[in-house]
Amino acid sequence: MLIGEVARRSGVSARMLRHYESLGLVRPSVRTGSGYREYSAEDIRRIFHVESLRSLGLSLREVARALDDPGFRPAALVDDLVQQTRARIAEETALLTRLRRIGAADPDDWEDVLQTVALLHALGSESAGRRQRAALSSAGQDPVPVEALVEAVLHETDPNAAGALRWALARAGGQAPALLADGLASPVAEVRERAVLALAEIPGDEATGLLRSALGEAGAGPGGGSEDGYGGGSGGGPGDGYGPGDSAGAGAGAAAGAGSVVARHAALALGARGVAAAVPVLIDMVVRGTNDVDAADALSTLAGDPDVAEEIAAGFAGRLARDPLTAPERHAVAQALAGIEGAVSSRALAELARDEDRAVALTASYVLRLRGSR
């Protein structure tokens, strides 16, 4: 078969066949009387072998060795090709991600594109200081690559750079909450924590809704609870005199919540926004001494609503009646109740004023005297 016919049937150009011949990869077995190259069936099979090996990423030198060296073993070469292919895929994936982020920024001209590329490079820098500066400078950039900021927020480990990124993201607006929702669903606890911290700084109903969903890490108590996530219907234990709001679900759900860093961050943010669903987790944070000062402040803010104040006080009273709290835990409750007005709070403080621990009793008595002097 002459070279033109071989090229047509094999899909390998005549020029490439001549190159194979010059390298000694495939030599036509004979030449015609007129000097034309004529390929035998064995030659054509070798051409297909060459093309098959090239399709795996082998160089022509590696192809020649594979075909002609009887001692050649493919395992090591195949492993090397696998590593090279993975590296190439990683590079292409990184390029695709970069292009997608540039497109998401909706640039108006090439100046915008170059500005976004510079920001992406800075956000990916090994220097935490440079990442921090890039985040701060992005606040004045238009358009802002929100997707890139979210990705950076979810993976930043330096606290200063992370704070700057959250600040920039809160000012970027747009689709930031929706993108952070993916972070909340991450199987990696650190990523979920970074997502909830970023959401805590973003105003608006969408961010608030996602923060409420983050309270789901608090778990569900066996006794349930109200729609808002804290107790309200079961009343106190027999003879405790604390009234409504002391649901078993509030205490049990909060206990689970205290074990979740994500739920705690969400509760603090929601408390500052006036969302009463955070109450059980905040109560448990106070009792367990986990960010207890911040949690007590958040509860005090929520207690501006008299109905919520009664629910908060009932929650603390229920914990006192139901759980074997240590003296430091009871002391923390007495301090927190100082910021909660109402009859239920005062009854709980009266109980604590008779506490066997002197510090607890003195604190509760002092709060009651202050209330009596008003």
Side-chain angles (χ1 to χ4, degrees):
M1 190 181 298
L2 299 181
I3 190 169
E5 183 68 10
V6 172
R8 186 179 67 80
R9 294 194 179 190
S10 67
V12 182
S13 68
R15 182 178 179 181
M16 183 59 72
L17 289 171
R18 293 189 185 97
H19 183 53
Y20 287 171
E21 182 181 356
S22 70
L23 296 175
L25 268 175
V26 183
R27 293 190 178 93
S29 299
V30 296
R31 290 212 177 229
T32 66
S34 304
Y36 292 111
R37 297 172 177 82
E38 187 168 1
Y39 292 83
S40 66
E42 184 61 32
D43 296 333
I44 294 172
R45 276 195 297 272
R46 187 175 174 92
I47 290 171
F48 282 112
H49 289 164
V50 170
E51 292 303 301
S52 296
L53 292 173
R54 284 190 64 200
S55 72
L56 297 178
L58 273 69
S59 67
L60 290 178
R61 179 175 297 180
E62 290 167 335
V63 169
R65 185 181 172 202
L67 293 176
D68 298 330
D69 183 357
F72 178 75
R73 293 292 179 267
L77 180 58
V78 170
D79 287 343
D80 187 50
L81 289 171
V82 168
Q83 296 302 319
Q84 292 177 25
T85 303
R86 285 176 174 166
R88 192 163 58 250
I89 290 172
E91 291 174 0
E92 293 296 324
T93 301
L95 174 60
L96 178 61
T97 300
R98 194 177 303 119
L99 290 171
R100 191 181 65 247
R101 289 173 180 168
I102 292 171
D106 195 21
D108 291 328
D109 51 38
W110 285 108
E111 187 65 30
D112 287 345
V113 171
L114 294 174
Q115 189 178 32
T116 302
V117 170
L119 176 62
L120 293 177
H121 280 302
L123 291 175
S125 170
E126 293 184 0
S127 165
R130 189 180 178 200
R131 296 196 301 272
Q132 181 180 2
R133 291 191 296 273
L136 295 173
S137 68
S138 72
Q141 183 171 325
D142 185 25
V144 178
V146 176
E147 184 176 337
L149 287 176
V150 169
E151 183 72 15
V153 161
L154 295 179
H155 293 88
E156 183 57 65
T157 57
D158 180 82
N160 294 324
L165 284 164
R166 292 195 298 269
W167 176 85
L169 193 59
R171 283 150 185 78
Q175 57 181 341
L179 293 171
L180 287 168
D182 293 336
L184 284 179
S186 170
V188 181
E190 290 82 358
V191 173
R192 297 197 303 275
E193 181 180 3
R194 293 169 195 146
V196 78
L197 285 172
L199 285 166
E201 298 189 23
I202 297 176
D205 293 342
E206 186 176 8
T208 299
L210 290 168
L211 287 168
R212 288 179 66 109
S213 72
L215 286 177
E217 290 210 13
S226 74
E227 183 178 355
D228 280 338
Y230 59 95
S234 65
D240 63 18
Y242 292 131
D246 174 28
S247 74
S260 165
V261 174
V262 171
R264 293 199 297 268
H265 287 310
L268 289 172
L270 289 169
R273 298 181 189 212
V275 179
V279 166
V281 178
L282 292 171
I283 287 176
D284 204 72
M285 289 170 66
V286 169
V287 172
R288 292 173 181 265
T290 307
N291 291 91
D292 53 325
V293 174
D294 292 336
D297 287 344
L299 287 169
S300 181
T301 298
L302 288 167
D305 181 330
D307 292 336
V308 178
E310 291 295 290
E311 293 288 354
I312 294 170
F316 277 125
R319 294 298 295 272
L320 289 169
R322 182 176 59 249
D323 299 337
L325 302 185
T326 65
E329 290 171 342
R330 298 194 303 276
H331 190 253
V333 171
Q335 291 177 314
L337 284 171
I340 312 298
E341 299 288 347
V344 177
S345 173
S346 294
R347 287 197 295 272
L349 285 166
E351 288 288 333
L352 289 169
R354 298 188 292 272
D355 196 274
E356 62 185 23
D357 183 87
R358 180 172 174 78
V360 174
L362 287 174
T363 298
S365 298
Y366 177 71
V367 174
L368 287 172
R369 283 198 302 272
L370 287 178
R371 291 185 180 183
S373 66
R374 293 174 189 171

